[in-house]
Amino acid sequence: MGTTYKCCLIFKRRFHSRDAPPPDDVRALFSLHSGGGPQMGADGLRRYLHATGHEDALDDAEVDRLLDQIRLQQQPGRARLPRLARPLLTLDDFHRYLFSHDLNPPIRHPQVHHDMTRPLSHYFIYTGHNSYLTGNQLSSDCSDVPIIKALQRGVRVIELDMWPNSAKDDINILHGRTLTTPVSLIKCLRSIKEYAFVASSYPVIITLEDHLPADLQEKVAKMVLEVFGDILYYPDTDHLKEFPSPETLRGRVLLSTKPPKEYLEANAVGTMKEGDADIHLGKGAGDDAAWGKEVPDFHTEIQFTQRNILRIYPKGTRVTSSNYNPFLGWVHGAQMVAFNMQGYGRALWLMHGFYKANGGCGYVKKPDFLMRTEPLVFDPREPQPVKKTLKVKVYMGDGWRMDFKQTHFDQYSPPDFYARVGIAGVPADSVMKKTKAIEDNWVPVWEEEFSFPLTVPEIALLRVEVHEYDMSEKDDFGGQTQSYWFPQPSFGYSALDLLLVVVAADLPQDPEPPK
């Protein structure tokens, strides 16, 4: 097989292409678990699954089912053999299994596994900003569609801005004092009720930004009661000592809004705090930098978030619905790091990856160091010892030839792909490294290994991107995998979104030698 490219309108260049063979590591792994034979049976596959932590798939029925699924993923054009006995895997079958995102995903235990009985303030919560906008902050349409999409992804906090309609007799949802077209409040509320728990059974919080007169506020209250009924949460007392837990609030909807001015004047202390995340960003901060100057007073913010809820949101000047570095909020213990969920960008990709953790339920328990005050309050600017080392081996990439025409990246030859691999986390851990570029190949094989020492692995995210090298212009973006929370991925061979096979090893840092 090959691809042909025109050159100088007359000449043609033909490039041969073939599937990448299994690497030596895969051959050795297959040989180890097949007993050195040319085929692997159920016992060999079970040994491999056990060795890589697949504790939930070791019974005979599950292993036989997986064997059948692997054999069904045969290459196009290869004859499908009838099953006359218990199936056996060849080396190529095993290689394709390792590369299958469906059968060998990086997160193999998608169920909720964090302790969900702690107060809400102990969790990071998947939070949207201006959840009704379909595009930019100035002129896009308002709709319930982005709200539905956010809830289907697992977002747990939906923001609605309430304004009177032109007749002053009903409530619209829109971004005030802009050219955004409104959507009715009742439509948004009904969609929230319908889709609130399709992705997660844990509570949905609706933050209401209220720009209404008293008569329309009363109308909102009636709408909310009519739509949500018994699933609307009412606290038992006006003075909670601590927030209820996500577990006790399963299947419930909570409302969060600023109290009337009279209440605020009579009660100076509240339990909800908001802030503009971008106020602390420095100029010229690139994607691979620490992304801005940190907030100066960590101790006050972190102590506040141990019992109260802090919400931060994008600055109003982000009219294109871009986002900030979410770690600016997470390292302070901020529970609600509000993001514009429409659009793209590295920051949003990090957000989505972070909340794949804990079964994708929208609640991630904060690490213990953010809940401690003794002996010291956590400060990410202070030097920390390396706790673990993440080793990542980037083997190969595939998939572009199915999604792009052959001249998408280069008019005269196949693409020159390279991978960028790195960590997003506290400034000391954040780094990006890259492989060499593989010239003229739609199925690049890099087979390069990287090590990442981590001082705060509890909130580290693994990032993988692919770019196409261009000598004369800016390199083309070739795609990125979902970012993965460091404590979450399975270690061993994993397929990341059909782009790469990554080998990862979680190694504790070597202790210092005795003096």
Side-chain angles (χ1 to χ4, degrees), residues 145-156:
V145 173
I147 296 173
I148 293 170
K149 289 181 178 178
L151 291 169
Q152 289 174 329
R153 187 181 280 276
V155 173
R156 297 291 85 192

Side-chain angles (χ1 to χ4, degrees), residues 302-303 306 367-378 387:
I302 290 177
Q303 287 179 316
Q306 291 174 352
D368 291 341
F369 64 78
L370 287 175
M371 303 305 299
R372 289 197 300 262
T373 57
E374 298 292 339
L376 294 172
V377 174
F378 172 72
K387 294 180 180 177

Side-chain angles (χ1 to χ4, degrees), residues 69-76 78-81 93 96:
Q69 290 174 323
I70 296 172
R71 282 170 51 83
L72 287 174
Q73 290 196 338
Q74 299 184 67
Q75 291 175 311
R78 176 180 167 186
R80 184 165 292 176
L81 300 176
D93 291 330
R96 279 193 303 279

